Amino acid sequence: SARRTVDPDQLAEQLLSGDRRALARAITLVESRHEADRAAADTLLQKILPHTGKAIRIGISGTPGVGKSSFIERFGLYLTAQKKKVAVLAIDPSSTLSGGSILGDKTRMEQLVRDPNAFIRPSPSSGSLGGVARRTREAMLLAEAAGFDVVLVETVGVGQSETTVAEMVDIFLLLLAPGGGDDLQGIKRGIMELADVVVINKADGDLLPKARLAAADYRMALHLMRPRHTDWQPQVQMASALLNEGIDAVWTTIEDFRSKLEKSGALQAQRRHQAEGWLWRELQDGLLDWLKQDAAVASELPKLQKAVGAGKATPHAAAKKILGLLGK
Ligand code: GDP
């Protein structure tokens, strides 16, 4: 075919010089499913790995309508005004089903997208959540190698994608709307437990009293939960993306989190633990692919699955048989 092959060494050099277009091309490379591209991507990643890790990695989640893109735009502009380089990446679980992308949509952050110190990349639009997550994690490393100081990973508040994002970031922000006690029921406890910082957005105008009540409710709720870090009690803050209020305070909290956890070593430990966790996930995925590609397994597995479904074989016995096929 006439596909252009990428020179990973050259791309690495351009990336390390901070070239935004090189970053875009590098991310396209790691997102590619062509085998030759994957080999080039692996070479590239290995090359830039020593230059990663300097950014603060921030996860940000919230249900649609809560003001995520408005908040990220204000937050991003606040940071670029302080001469920081900001990358916004997204993991959108719905895009893996629909093939479209709602998050990280550039038209939703009109000002930030024009900022030369910002880089916005929508969610990869195909593949399993695991595949999308892997590519986003790699994009994060690429952004760090390109000299970005802050990497934001945006996702939508639906559950599994939050856990995935929490496994690649340093700090997890949960954006909520004012609403207080009633809303509290609607938010999955599991998501609340991931939050290092809860931001009540839309704390403005008529919504301000409600926002205050909500903040008190969430503070109480968080106190009853076991904190994720021994040296960090989750914080609840109010903000208004509309009025550009409380944005700086959120950044101060993030810096506070970072310095506390760096000092205790918890941040480094978390990153090490996360990277090792990704190794195991890669191994699991790789083994499963390998298993499914085996001819003997392919012919036996459907029968055994049926037998398990019909209650004629135990899952354990069936799995043992399949693994036995690989051992031969
Ligand atoms: P997303 O779906 O979470 O990305 O939310 P958007 O950023 O698109 O915002 C959803 C709606 O909420 C839009 O109509 C915004 O104008 C509005 N909105 C966002 N932030 C605020 C805020 O701080 N205060 C108020 N009153 N409205 C907001």
PDB file of all heavy atoms in Angstrom, residues 293-326:
ATOM      1  N   GLN A 293      -6.820 -16.747  19.253  1.00  0.00           N
ATOM      2  CA  GLN A 293      -6.271 -17.009  17.921  1.00  0.00           C
ATOM      3  C   GLN A 293      -5.872 -18.466  17.731  1.00  0.00           C
ATOM      4  O   GLN A 293      -5.596 -18.897  16.618  1.00  0.00           O
ATOM      5  CB  GLN A 293      -5.058 -16.111  17.676  1.00  0.00           C
ATOM      6  CG  GLN A 293      -5.471 -14.712  17.233  1.00  0.00           C
ATOM      7  CD  GLN A 293      -4.378 -13.692  17.475  1.00  0.00           C
ATOM      8  OE1 GLN A 293      -3.197 -14.049  17.613  1.00  0.00           O
ATOM      9  NE2 GLN A 293      -4.757 -12.432  17.536  1.00  0.00           N
ATOM     10  N   ASP A 294      -5.852 -19.231  18.811  1.00  0.00           N
ATOM     11  CA  ASP A 294      -5.450 -20.636  18.701  1.00  0.00           C
ATOM     12  C   ASP A 294      -6.569 -21.444  18.027  1.00  0.00           C
ATOM     13  O   ASP A 294      -7.736 -21.366  18.414  1.00  0.00           O
ATOM     14  CB  ASP A 294      -5.174 -21.177  20.110  1.00  0.00           C
ATOM     15  CG  ASP A 294      -4.675 -22.598  20.086  1.00  0.00           C
ATOM     16  OD1 ASP A 294      -5.523 -23.526  20.116  1.00  0.00           O
ATOM     17  OD2 ASP A 294      -3.447 -22.775  20.015  1.00  0.00           O
ATOM     18  N   ALA A 295      -6.192 -22.244  17.020  1.00  0.00           N
ATOM     19  CA  ALA A 295      -7.188 -22.955  16.211  1.00  0.00           C
ATOM     20  C   ALA A 295      -7.970 -23.979  17.042  1.00  0.00           C
ATOM     21  O   ALA A 295      -9.204 -24.055  16.943  1.00  0.00           O
ATOM     22  CB  ALA A 295      -6.503 -23.634  15.026  1.00  0.00           C
ATOM     23  N   ALA A 296      -7.271 -24.737  17.855  1.00  0.00           N
ATOM     24  CA  ALA A 296      -7.942 -25.756  18.671  1.00  0.00           C
ATOM     25  C   ALA A 296      -8.913 -25.098  19.649  1.00  0.00           C
ATOM     26  O   ALA A 296     -10.044 -25.564  19.834  1.00  0.00           O
ATOM     27  CB  ALA A 296      -6.898 -26.582  19.417  1.00  0.00           C
ATOM     28  N   VAL A 297      -8.479 -23.998  20.239  1.00  0.00           N
ATOM     29  CA  VAL A 297      -9.344 -23.269  21.172  1.00  0.00           C
ATOM     30  C   VAL A 297     -10.578 -22.746  20.442  1.00  0.00           C
ATOM     31  O   VAL A 297     -11.707 -22.864  20.917  1.00  0.00           O
ATOM     32  CB  VAL A 297      -8.574 -22.101  21.835  1.00  0.00           C
ATOM     33  CG1 VAL A 297      -9.530 -21.205  22.609  1.00  0.00           C
ATOM     34  CG2 VAL A 297      -7.475 -22.636  22.748  1.00  0.00           C
ATOM     35  N   ALA A 298     -10.342 -22.190  19.254  1.00  0.00           N
ATOM     36  CA  ALA A 298     -11.450 -21.612  18.485  1.00  0.00           C
ATOM     37  C   ALA A 298     -12.518 -22.658  18.183  1.00  0.00           C
ATOM     38  O   ALA A 298     -13.710 -22.337  18.147  1.00  0.00           O
ATOM     39  CB  ALA A 298     -10.919 -20.987  17.189  1.00  0.00           C
ATOM     40  N   SER A 299     -12.111 -23.904  17.978  1.00  0.00           N
ATOM     41  CA  SER A 299     -13.131 -24.912  17.656  1.00  0.00           C
ATOM     42  C   SER A 299     -13.797 -25.472  18.926  1.00  0.00           C
ATOM     43  O   SER A 299     -14.962 -25.825  18.903  1.00  0.00           O
ATOM     44  CB  SER A 299     -12.534 -26.015  16.769  1.00  0.00           C
ATOM     45  OG  SER A 299     -11.927 -27.001  17.578  1.00  0.00           O
ATOM     46  N   GLU A 300     -13.060 -25.509  20.021  1.00  0.00           N
ATOM     47  CA  GLU A 300     -13.617 -26.096  21.255  1.00  0.00           C
ATOM     48  C   GLU A 300     -14.405 -25.106  22.117  1.00  0.00           C
ATOM     49  O   GLU A 300     -15.377 -25.472  22.770  1.00  0.00           O
ATOM     50  CB  GLU A 300     -12.481 -26.691  22.102  1.00  0.00           C
ATOM     51  CG  GLU A 300     -11.924 -28.011  21.599  1.00  0.00           C
ATOM     52  CD  GLU A 300     -12.990 -29.082  21.419  1.00  0.00           C
ATOM     53  OE1 GLU A 300     -13.721 -29.358  22.396  1.00  0.00           O
ATOM     54  OE2 GLU A 300     -13.101 -29.638  20.302  1.00  0.00           O
ATOM     55  N   LEU A 301     -13.938 -23.858  22.108  1.00  0.00           N
ATOM     56  CA  LEU A 301     -14.491 -22.869  23.046  1.00  0.00           C
ATOM     57  C   LEU A 301     -16.010 -22.678  22.937  1.00  0.00           C
ATOM     58  O   LEU A 301     -16.702 -22.674  23.959  1.00  0.00           O
ATOM     59  CB  LEU A 301     -13.737 -21.531  22.901  1.00  0.00           C
ATOM     60  CG  LEU A 301     -14.019 -20.478  23.978  1.00  0.00           C
ATOM     61  CD1 LEU A 301     -13.778 -21.013  25.383  1.00  0.00           C
ATOM     62  CD2 LEU A 301     -13.146 -19.236  23.770  1.00  0.00           C
ATOM     63  N   PRO A 302     -16.558 -22.546  21.709  1.00  0.00           N
ATOM     64  CA  PRO A 302     -18.013 -22.337  21.622  1.00  0.00           C
ATOM     65  C   PRO A 302     -18.801 -23.500  22.230  1.00  0.00           C
ATOM     66  O   PRO A 302     -19.805 -23.279  22.907  1.00  0.00           O
ATOM     67  CB  PRO A 302     -18.264 -22.237  20.114  1.00  0.00           C
ATOM     68  CG  PRO A 302     -16.949 -21.881  19.514  1.00  0.00           C
ATOM     69  CD  PRO A 302     -15.915 -22.504  20.390  1.00  0.00           C
ATOM     70  N   LYS A 303     -18.326 -24.716  22.015  1.00  0.00           N
ATOM     71  CA  LYS A 303     -19.014 -25.904  22.559  1.00  0.00           C
ATOM     72  C   LYS A 303     -18.978 -25.885  24.080  1.00  0.00           C
ATOM     73  O   LYS A 303     -19.976 -26.130  24.747  1.00  0.00           O
ATOM     74  CB  LYS A 303     -18.325 -27.188  22.056  1.00  0.00           C
ATOM     75  CG  LYS A 303     -18.581 -27.479  20.575  1.00  0.00           C
ATOM     76  CD  LYS A 303     -17.858 -28.753  20.141  1.00  0.00           C
ATOM     77  CE  LYS A 303     -16.917 -28.485  18.983  1.00  0.00           C
ATOM     78  NZ  LYS A 303     -15.972 -29.557  18.702  1.00  0.00           N
ATOM     79  N   LEU A 304     -17.783 -25.595  24.594  1.00  0.00           N
ATOM     80  CA  LEU A 304     -17.628 -25.589  26.046  1.00  0.00           C
ATOM     81  C   LEU A 304     -18.445 -24.465  26.687  1.00  0.00           C
ATOM     82  O   LEU A 304     -19.028 -24.638  27.755  1.00  0.00           O
ATOM     83  CB  LEU A 304     -16.149 -25.458  26.413  1.00  0.00           C
ATOM     84  CG  LEU A 304     -15.349 -26.767  26.247  1.00  0.00           C
ATOM     85  CD1 LEU A 304     -13.856 -26.497  26.234  1.00  0.00           C
ATOM     86  CD2 LEU A 304     -15.699 -27.749  27.369  1.00  0.00           C
ATOM     87  N   GLN A 305     -18.468 -23.335  25.991  1.00  0.00           N
ATOM     88  CA  GLN A 305     -19.247 -22.209  26.511  1.00  0.00           C
ATOM     89  C   GLN A 305     -20.720 -22.591  26.616  1.00  0.00           C
ATOM     90  O   GLN A 305     -21.401 -22.286  27.592  1.00  0.00           O
ATOM     91  CB  GLN A 305     -19.067 -20.986  25.612  1.00  0.00           C
ATOM     92  CG  GLN A 305     -19.766 -19.752  26.169  1.00  0.00           C
ATOM     93  CD  GLN A 305     -19.470 -18.496  25.351  1.00  0.00           C
ATOM     94  OE1 GLN A 305     -18.420 -18.381  24.716  1.00  0.00           O
ATOM     95  NE2 GLN A 305     -20.411 -17.574  25.353  1.00  0.00           N
ATOM     96  N   LYS A 306     -21.201 -23.279  25.589  1.00  0.00           N
ATOM     97  CA  LYS A 306     -22.579 -23.736  25.549  1.00  0.00           C
ATOM     98  C   LYS A 306     -22.849 -24.711  26.701  1.00  0.00           C
ATOM     99  O   LYS A 306     -23.882 -24.624  27.367  1.00  0.00           O
ATOM    100  CB  LYS A 306     -22.841 -24.428  24.206  1.00  0.00           C
ATOM    101  CG  LYS A 306     -24.228 -24.161  23.650  1.00  0.00           C
ATOM    102  CD  LYS A 306     -24.295 -24.600  22.208  1.00  0.00           C
ATOM    103  CE  LYS A 306     -25.735 -24.621  21.721  1.00  0.00           C
ATOM    104  NZ  LYS A 306     -25.819 -25.230  20.389  1.00  0.00           N
ATOM    105  N   ALA A 307     -21.900 -25.611  26.895  1.00  0.00           N
ATOM    106  CA  ALA A 307     -22.042 -26.606  27.956  1.00  0.00           C
ATOM    107  C   ALA A 307     -22.099 -25.937  29.325  1.00  0.00           C
ATOM    108  O   ALA A 307     -22.896 -26.328  30.184  1.00  0.00           O
ATOM    109  CB  ALA A 307     -20.895 -27.604  27.894  1.00  0.00           C
ATOM    110  N   VAL A 308     -21.286 -24.896  29.493  1.00  0.00           N
ATOM    111  CA  VAL A 308     -21.296 -24.163  30.763  1.00  0.00           C
ATOM    112  C   VAL A 308     -22.641 -23.466  30.949  1.00  0.00           C
ATOM    113  O   VAL A 308     -23.255 -23.516  32.018  1.00  0.00           O
ATOM    114  CB  VAL A 308     -20.127 -23.146  30.831  1.00  0.00           C
ATOM    115  CG1 VAL A 308     -20.308 -22.186  31.997  1.00  0.00           C
ATOM    116  CG2 VAL A 308     -18.789 -23.873  30.956  1.00  0.00           C
ATOM    117  N   GLY A 309     -23.109 -22.831  29.863  1.00  0.00           N
ATOM    118  CA  GLY A 309     -24.398 -22.132  29.913  1.00  0.00           C
ATOM    119  C   GLY A 309     -25.546 -23.067  30.246  1.00  0.00           C
ATOM    120  O   GLY A 309     -26.488 -22.704  30.955  1.00  0.00           O
ATOM    121  N   ALA A 310     -25.461 -24.288  29.734  1.00  0.00           N
ATOM    122  CA  ALA A 310     -26.537 -25.260  29.940  1.00  0.00           C
ATOM    123  C   ALA A 310     -26.400 -26.010  31.256  1.00  0.00           C
ATOM    124  O   ALA A 310     -27.204 -26.884  31.574  1.00  0.00           O
ATOM    125  CB  ALA A 310     -26.552 -26.256  28.773  1.00  0.00           C
ATOM    126  N   GLY A 311     -25.362 -25.670  32.024  1.00  0.00           N
ATOM    127  CA  GLY A 311     -25.188 -26.313  33.312  1.00  0.00           C
ATOM    128  C   GLY A 311     -24.622 -27.719  33.204  1.00  0.00           C
ATOM    129  O   GLY A 311     -24.761 -28.517  34.122  1.00  0.00           O
ATOM    130  N   LYS A 312     -24.017 -28.026  32.055  1.00  0.00           N
ATOM    131  CA  LYS A 312     -23.489 -29.396  31.863  1.00  0.00           C
ATOM    132  C   LYS A 312     -21.997 -29.499  32.185  1.00  0.00           C
ATOM    133  O   LYS A 312     -21.453 -30.592  32.254  1.00  0.00           O
ATOM    134  CB  LYS A 312     -23.737 -29.832  30.422  1.00  0.00           C
ATOM    135  CG  LYS A 312     -25.221 -30.049  30.155  1.00  0.00           C
ATOM    136  CD  LYS A 312     -25.478 -30.698  28.804  1.00  0.00           C
ATOM    137  CE  LYS A 312     -26.944 -31.029  28.646  1.00  0.00           C
ATOM    138  NZ  LYS A 312     -27.513 -30.463  27.405  1.00  0.00           N
ATOM    139  N   ALA A 313     -21.353 -28.363  32.339  1.00  0.00           N
ATOM    140  CA  ALA A 313     -19.945 -28.360  32.751  1.00  0.00           C
ATOM    141  C   ALA A 313     -19.741 -27.171  33.670  1.00  0.00           C
ATOM    142  O   ALA A 313     -20.412 -26.141  33.522  1.00  0.00           O
ATOM    143  CB  ALA A 313     -19.029 -28.258  31.537  1.00  0.00           C
ATOM    144  N   THR A 314     -18.851 -27.302  34.622  1.00  0.00           N
ATOM    145  CA  THR A 314     -18.579 -26.151  35.482  1.00  0.00           C
ATOM    146  C   THR A 314     -17.634 -25.208  34.738  1.00  0.00           C
ATOM    147  O   THR A 314     -16.821 -25.661  33.918  1.00  0.00           O
ATOM    148  CB  THR A 314     -17.925 -26.558  36.821  1.00  0.00           C
ATOM    149  OG1 THR A 314     -16.615 -27.062  36.547  1.00  0.00           O
ATOM    150  CG2 THR A 314     -18.763 -27.591  37.546  1.00  0.00           C
ATOM    151  N   PRO A 315     -17.737 -23.902  35.019  1.00  0.00           N
ATOM    152  CA  PRO A 315     -16.810 -22.962  34.373  1.00  0.00           C
ATOM    153  C   PRO A 315     -15.357 -23.340  34.624  1.00  0.00           C
ATOM    154  O   PRO A 315     -14.517 -23.235  33.734  1.00  0.00           O
ATOM    155  CB  PRO A 315     -17.145 -21.630  35.057  1.00  0.00           C
ATOM    156  CG  PRO A 315     -18.560 -21.782  35.491  1.00  0.00           C
ATOM    157  CD  PRO A 315     -18.724 -23.225  35.859  1.00  0.00           C
ATOM    158  N   HIS A 316     -15.082 -23.811  35.806  1.00  0.00           N
ATOM    159  CA  HIS A 316     -13.706 -24.174  36.134  1.00  0.00           C
ATOM    160  C   HIS A 316     -13.203 -25.326  35.263  1.00  0.00           C
ATOM    161  O   HIS A 316     -12.124 -25.254  34.680  1.00  0.00           O
ATOM    162  CB  HIS A 316     -13.588 -24.554  37.615  1.00  0.00           C
ATOM    163  CG  HIS A 316     -12.212 -24.974  38.025  1.00  0.00           C
ATOM    164  ND1 HIS A 316     -11.200 -24.053  38.200  1.00  0.00           N
ATOM    165  CD2 HIS A 316     -11.671 -26.194  38.243  1.00  0.00           C
ATOM    166  CE1 HIS A 316     -10.094 -24.699  38.519  1.00  0.00           C
ATOM    167  NE2 HIS A 316     -10.355 -26.011  38.542  1.00  0.00           N
ATOM    168  N   ALA A 317     -14.025 -26.360  35.139  1.00  0.00           N
ATOM    169  CA  ALA A 317     -13.623 -27.523  34.347  1.00  0.00           C
ATOM    170  C   ALA A 317     -13.434 -27.147  32.881  1.00  0.00           C
ATOM    171  O   ALA A 317     -12.487 -27.583  32.215  1.00  0.00           O
ATOM    172  CB  ALA A 317     -14.662 -28.632  34.490  1.00  0.00           C
ATOM    173  N   ALA A 318     -14.350 -26.292  32.384  1.00  0.00           N
ATOM    174  CA  ALA A 318     -14.267 -25.875  30.980  1.00  0.00           C
ATOM    175  C   ALA A 318     -12.999 -25.057  30.739  1.00  0.00           C
ATOM    176  O   ALA A 318     -12.295 -25.254  29.740  1.00  0.00           O
ATOM    177  CB  ALA A 318     -15.507 -25.081  30.599  1.00  0.00           C
ATOM    178  N   ALA A 319     -12.716 -24.151  31.652  1.00  0.00           N
ATOM    179  CA  ALA A 319     -11.516 -23.309  31.517  1.00  0.00           C
ATOM    180  C   ALA A 319     -10.256 -24.176  31.549  1.00  0.00           C
ATOM    181  O   ALA A 319      -9.322 -23.962  30.772  1.00  0.00           O
ATOM    182  CB  ALA A 319     -11.479 -22.273  32.636  1.00  0.00           C
ATOM    183  N   LYS A 320     -10.274 -25.155  32.398  1.00  0.00           N
ATOM    184  CA  LYS A 320      -9.128 -26.053  32.527  1.00  0.00           C
ATOM    185  C   LYS A 320      -8.880 -26.795  31.213  1.00  0.00           C
ATOM    186  O   LYS A 320      -7.738 -26.966  30.774  1.00  0.00           O
ATOM    187  CB  LYS A 320      -9.407 -27.046  33.665  1.00  0.00           C
ATOM    188  CG  LYS A 320      -8.148 -27.449  34.397  1.00  0.00           C
ATOM    189  CD  LYS A 320      -8.471 -28.150  35.698  1.00  0.00           C
ATOM    190  CE  LYS A 320      -7.253 -28.922  36.180  1.00  0.00           C
ATOM    191  NZ  LYS A 320      -7.546 -29.707  37.375  1.00  0.00           N
ATOM    192  N   LYS A 321      -9.973 -27.207  30.585  1.00  0.00           N
ATOM    193  CA  LYS A 321      -9.863 -27.923  29.314  1.00  0.00           C
ATOM    194  C   LYS A 321      -9.241 -27.022  28.243  1.00  0.00           C
ATOM    195  O   LYS A 321      -8.371 -27.437  27.483  1.00  0.00           O
ATOM    196  CB  LYS A 321     -11.264 -28.358  28.876  1.00  0.00           C
ATOM    197  CG  LYS A 321     -11.300 -29.785  28.318  1.00  0.00           C
ATOM    198  CD  LYS A 321     -12.726 -30.202  28.037  1.00  0.00           C
ATOM    199  CE  LYS A 321     -12.947 -31.650  28.479  1.00  0.00           C
ATOM    200  NZ  LYS A 321     -14.378 -32.011  28.425  1.00  0.00           N
ATOM    201  N   ILE A 322      -9.728 -25.775  28.208  1.00  0.00           N
ATOM    202  CA  ILE A 322      -9.218 -24.816  27.215  1.00  0.00           C
ATOM    203  C   ILE A 322      -7.721 -24.558  27.449  1.00  0.00           C
ATOM    204  O   ILE A 322      -6.929 -24.560  26.511  1.00  0.00           O
ATOM    205  CB  ILE A 322      -9.999 -23.478  27.319  1.00  0.00           C
ATOM    206  CG1 ILE A 322     -11.445 -23.659  26.858  1.00  0.00           C
ATOM    207  CG2 ILE A 322      -9.325 -22.385  26.514  1.00  0.00           C
ATOM    208  CD1 ILE A 322     -11.611 -24.011  25.399  1.00  0.00           C
ATOM    209  N   LEU A 323      -7.375 -24.335  28.703  1.00  0.00           N
ATOM    210  CA  LEU A 323      -5.961 -24.085  29.001  1.00  0.00           C
ATOM    211  C   LEU A 323      -5.109 -25.307  28.684  1.00  0.00           C
ATOM    212  O   LEU A 323      -3.968 -25.183  28.250  1.00  0.00           O
ATOM    213  CB  LEU A 323      -5.802 -23.675  30.471  1.00  0.00           C
ATOM    214  CG  LEU A 323      -6.432 -22.314  30.808  1.00  0.00           C
ATOM    215  CD1 LEU A 323      -6.395 -22.064  32.316  1.00  0.00           C
ATOM    216  CD2 LEU A 323      -5.727 -21.177  30.069  1.00  0.00           C
ATOM    217  N   GLY A 324      -5.703 -26.480  28.842  1.00  0.00           N
ATOM    218  CA  GLY A 324      -5.005 -27.723  28.508  1.00  0.00           C
ATOM    219  C   GLY A 324      -4.680 -27.785  27.019  1.00  0.00           C
ATOM    220  O   GLY A 324      -3.637 -28.293  26.617  1.00  0.00           O
ATOM    221  N   LEU A 325      -5.573 -27.236  26.199  1.00  0.00           N
ATOM    222  CA  LEU A 325      -5.342 -27.223  24.744  1.00  0.00           C
ATOM    223  C   LEU A 325      -4.099 -26.406  24.409  1.00  0.00           C
ATOM    224  O   LEU A 325      -3.379 -26.691  23.466  1.00  0.00           O
ATOM    225  CB  LEU A 325      -6.549 -26.615  24.021  1.00  0.00           C
ATOM    226  CG  LEU A 325      -7.836 -27.430  24.022  1.00  0.00           C
ATOM    227  CD1 LEU A 325      -8.976 -26.625  23.440  1.00  0.00           C
ATOM    228  CD2 LEU A 325      -7.659 -28.733  23.242  1.00  0.00           C
ATOM    229  N   LEU A 326      -3.882 -25.334  25.184  1.00  0.00           N
ATOM    230  CA  LEU A 326      -2.725 -24.466  24.922  1.00  0.00           C
ATOM    231  C   LEU A 326      -1.428 -25.112  25.385  1.00  0.00           C
ATOM    232  O   LEU A 326      -0.371 -24.865  24.822  1.00  0.00           O
ATOM    233  CB  LEU A 326      -2.900 -23.125  25.646  1.00  0.00           C
ATOM    234  CG  LEU A 326      -3.966 -22.210  25.085  1.00  0.00           C
ATOM    235  CD1 LEU A 326      -4.126 -21.015  26.010  1.00  0.00           C
ATOM    236  CD2 LEU A 326      -3.621 -21.763  23.684  1.00  0.00           C
TER     237      LEU A 326
END
